[in-house]
Amino acid sequence: MACQERDPTERRIAKPVSLVAFWPVALYLLCMLDEIVNAVRNCRSCVVLTGAGISAESGVPTFRGSEGLWGKFKPEELATMAAFISNPKIVWEWYKWRRQVVGEVKPNPGHYALRDLQQWFDQFTLVTQNVDGLHRAAGSENILELHGNIYRNKCLDCNHQFSEDMDIDPDNIPSCPHCGGKIRPDVVWFGEMLDAQIINKAFSESEQTELFFSIGTSAIVHPAASLPITAKRRGATLVEINPEMTPLSGLADYYVSAKSGEFLPTLVERLKQTSPPG
Ligand code: BJW
Ligand code: ZN
């Protein structure tokens, strides 16, 4: 039915009905918030795993979902070694565009809330699949970047890392001064091994932690997706924050269907009111 044809009373009826439907959900979320506050209060160690969803409210596109990057671009043509070898120019054009996108955004309240959350724990590790550097920009410490960093470059052949700013021209890709290999972005593509030291540390922290948060990730890309499962198997309390359910939701002790930029600041606010960091 077109908007103009609507019965004018329809909205008045719809509103109280939707409110009635909303209250049990709000109450449920509130109870869950208090239980998560208690979990934070009672646990001394915490691992947080973040994915693209935490940066969505900053304006960084996610990978999956209707608006995600993989809806417009094919991962096998852009995020694999084979793609880079067969068409380095296209791959560099894509990464130049993404560098520009993340260069223009700022951390959002979810990133800042995670920076604040670390104060409630003796041991706090922030494991991120994101390459955008927004957790560091927000002031978080002890960050493990599982999939690299979009601003860094490395040599395709000898793996030498170049941390300095390099403006890459996709038509004239620079060569490594050590071996002559092509320079590529220092991110982890499909089929590539993650940095052993980083992923091993992420697993050992997940095995020992008392509390684990999985935030803004579709929880399907391994080995990152194995971290919350490992933590849960070792007895950690598992909290998932994501507006959409994922394969992890059924396993989580608390599945919070909310945006991280809305729920996390509420959680930190509640913690500050009820149990300031010791
Ligand atoms: C919000 C929100 C808001 C929205 N608030 N939430 C075991 C089983 C099956 C397959 C494999 C396996 N082990 C390894 C594999 C193969 C493969 C893999 O996992 N494939 C799966 C897809 C099945 N893994 C690999 O290849 C990895 N390497 C590896 O394992 O090496 C060993 C090996 C080699 C060869 C064979 C076998 C083993 C490497 C994975 C590298 C992933 N690389 C990318 C690109 C990085 C560089 C770049 O950025 O360009 O990493 S792909 C992409 O996916 C990116 C992400 O980090 C990663 C995860 O995505 P993420 O963060 O979860 O984002 P989305 O978009 O999927 O989800 C966003 C979520 O946010 C959604 O749920 C929304 O609802 C939510 N959201 N708004 C909170 N406001
Ligand atoms: Zn080299």
Side-chain angles (χ1 to χ4, degrees):
M1 196 194 284
C3 276
Q4 310 92 291
E5 294 163 18
R6 272 206 185 126
D7 175 353
T9 60
E10 191 183 291
R11 283 180 80 196
R12 269 184 275 141
I13 297 163
K15 222 170 178 181
V17 168
S18 65
L19 263 183
V20 167
F22 175 73
W23 276 113
V25 178
L27 205 64
Y28 177 70
L29 273 175
L30 215 63
C31 291
M32 210 189 291
L33 176 67
D34 279 341
E35 288 187 32
I36 297 170
V37 163
N38 275 335
V40 171
R41 204 184 284 149
N42 294 328
C43 294
R44 305 177 84 161
S45 55
C46 178
V47 172
V48 175
L49 171 69
T50 62
I54 185 116
S55 297
E57 288 157 87
S58 292
V60 182
T62 60
F63 291 93
R64 296 164 188 86
S66 53
E67 297 297 309
L69 291 169
W70 295 156
K72 300 180 193 99
F73 306 99
K74 290 189 178 151
E76 61 278 14
E77 287 174 8
L78 295 164
T80 63
M81 173 75 91
F84 187 74
I85 288 168
S86 73
N87 203 337
K89 177 173 147 63
I90 294 255
V91 173
W92 260 120
E93 275 169 356
W94 193 59
Y95 277 96
K96 267 201 95 156
W97 169 71
R98 288 189 46 217
R99 276 182 182 178
Q100 196 185 327
V101 170
V102 301
E104 285 167 1
V105 304
K106 299 219 157 21
N108 66 57
H111 293 106
Y112 290 115
L114 285 182
R115 173 204 60 194
D116 294 345
L117 189 64
Q118 65 198 14
Q119 302 166 69
W120 272 271
F121 300 94
D122 296 339
Q123 179 67 25
F124 185 90
T125 310
L126 181 43
V127 184
T128 187
Q129 297 168 84
N130 299 345
V131 298
D132 56 29
L134 288 177
H135 286 303
R136 191 166 293 116
S140 277
E141 292 157 19
N142 214 11
I143 306 167
L144 299 175
E145 289 179 319
L146 292 183
H147 295 161
N149 189 295
I150 200 164
Y151 293 110
R152 277 197 320 254
N153 301 304
K154 68 176 181 183
C155 170
L156 180 67
D157 295 335
C158 76
N159 242 12
H160 184 89
Q161 275 194 356
F162 302 91
S163 51
E164 64 272 22
D165 256 5
M166 277 174 117
D167 191 24
I168 307 285
D169 174 2
D171 286 309
N172 191 12
I173 299 164
S175 303
C176 170
H178 306 285
C179 75
K182 273 203 168 59
I183 304 288
R184 56 164 281 184
D186 190 5
V187 296
V188 182
W189 287 324
F190 282 114
E192 292 190 315
M193 306 292 275
L194 281 68
D195 180 297
Q197 238 180 323
I198 295 177
I199 189 65
N200 289 345
K201 177 107 169 79
F203 270 106
S204 83
E205 295 295 340
S206 302
E207 281 161 9
Q208 291 164 42
T209 195
E210 291 174 77
L211 185 58
F212 193 109
F213 283 89
S214 176
I215 304 172
T217 173
S218 54
I220 58 167
V221 174
H222 289 269
S226 303
L227 296 170
I229 300 168
T230 302
K232 176 70 184 159
R233 279 198 192 130
R234 292 292 190 108
T237 299
L238 177 58
V239 181
E240 183 182 43
I241 302 165
N242 194 320
E244 307 291 334
M245 291 185 92
T246 74
L248 198 64
S249 310
L251 190 69
D253 296 284
Y254 302 104
Y255 164 65
V256 183
S257 175
K259 291 184 175 182
S260 46
E262 292 170 5
F263 182 78
L264 288 170
T266 312
L267 172 65
V268 168
E269 226 20 72
R270 193 82 159 188
L271 277 163
K272 281 181 186 160
Q273 286 163 5
T274 58
S275 45

